[in-house]
Amino acid sequence: MPSRAEFAEVGDDVYVLRYPVLDVNATLILGDGEAILVDTLATAAQAEELAAAVRAITPAALTIVNTHHHFDHTFGNAVLSSPPRAIWGHASVAGLLRDRAEAVRRAAYEEALRLAPSIAEDLLTVPIMAPNATVRHESTLDLGGRAVILYYLGRGHTDGDLVVHVPDADVVVAGDLVEEGAAPAFDDAYPLEWPETVAALLRLTTPATSVVPGHGAVVGQNFVRGQHEELAALDWVIRDGHADGAPAERVAAKAPFGPEAALVAVRRGYAELSGRL
Ligand SMILES: [Zn+2]
């Protein structure tokens, strides 16, 4: 029943596969005899499907990049990094998937039960492989003569979001710092810092840049500007609400992104402002 997943070219030798379950994106960047795959989907079966889609485009060995630790971006690592090669991630992502893998797995299972119950069971058994090459601020990868830059621009969707810039193709892979087709997810987020991080991401873009969000359709600079404005508005609503001692539910009701997503954000923001996060 599921249609075969395929990559579509979004820039010179940069391809995006938009996977129907959770509407999540994986990005393939080709260099001379080498390739980078950004994010690896959630289950072994999904990762096998992704590997086949990669092989339809290139036989090159894959370097993996994880935009952040969430299961829909990392749990395919073991299938796609076989034989094992470099897996890049923020230092906090490497630590989390190495030292707290079973806690991450439990959180993934609980979330999948809500959002994608058909894959929840698979998450209990998929081998979790942590990044073995870490980024703290910025790392430039030489992809067979092509520069691909990994940036850590600050906390946002999580405390370890990487942004992948392919300057010669004018493509920025934003991970879940940018979300299309649904509200941003705040469960592990830092809503008071997220706007500044997206502002830094915007400085990598031009009006012609293709931005690959973690989920949904590829967008342009204007879409990211709009999301930045909403995140900044949310930031202020949270700060005002906290200063007034307003209940989180009341603040969320008038916040951007809808009351459900916003409530998670307001609670995270309040926790941060009270020094509990
Ligand atoms: Zn995420």
Side-chain angles (χ1 to χ4, degrees), residues 46-238:
Q46 288 182 1
E48 298 285 2
E49 210 180 330
L50 177 56
V54 169
R55 292 300 159 231
I57 292 185
T58 177
L62 291 178
T63 295
I64 307 287
V65 177
N66 291 145
T67 56
H68 62 294
H69 77 273
H70 286 152
F71 69 93
D72 45 334
H73 304 264
T74 58
F75 280 17
N77 282 358
V79 167
L80 283 146
S81 189
S82 170
R85 288 175 51 90
I87 302 175
W88 289 85
H90 185 262
S92 73
V93 174
L96 207 52
L97 293 183
R98 188 186 56 232
D99 303 332
R100 303 195 53 223
E102 292 315 309
V104 172
R105 184 194 300 282
R106 270 195 305 280
Y109 177 72
E110 297 294 332
E111 194 180 352
L113 284 179
R114 283 192 292 121
L115 301 176
S118 65
I119 64 167
E121 288 292 319
D122 290 349
L123 300 180
L124 297 175
T125 53
V126 62
I128 294 175
M129 189 178 274
N132 52 26
T134 55
V135 180
R136 284 193 187 277
H137 300 290
E138 180 181 329
S139 297
T140 299
L141 309 187
D142 176 2
L143 187 63
R146 177 177 221 188
V148 174
I149 309 154
L150 314 182
Y151 290 103
Y152 176 67
L153 300 174
R155 300 199 292 190
H157 172 69
T158 67
D159 67 356
D161 303 291
L162 290 188
V163 169
V164 182
H165 189 203
V166 193
D168 68 14
D170 203 1
V171 173
V172 172
V173 184
D176 287 2
L177 286 171
V178 176
E179 175 113 14
E180 194 281 328
F186 293 97
D187 303 75
D188 295 319
Y190 294 83
L192 310 179
E193 294 160 54
W194 196 334
E196 217 175 300
T197 303
V198 174
L201 186 158
L202 273 168
R203 289 194 280 276
L204 300 174
T205 67
T206 72
T209 303
S210 296
V211 177
V212 184
H215 302 260
V218 174
V219 297
Q221 189 188 52
N222 270 340
F223 179 92
V224 183
R225 272 193 206 295
Q227 194 144 89
H228 173 257
E229 278 168 25
E230 285 187 291
L231 287 164
L234 176 64
D235 176 6
W236 282 107
V237 166
I238 293 171

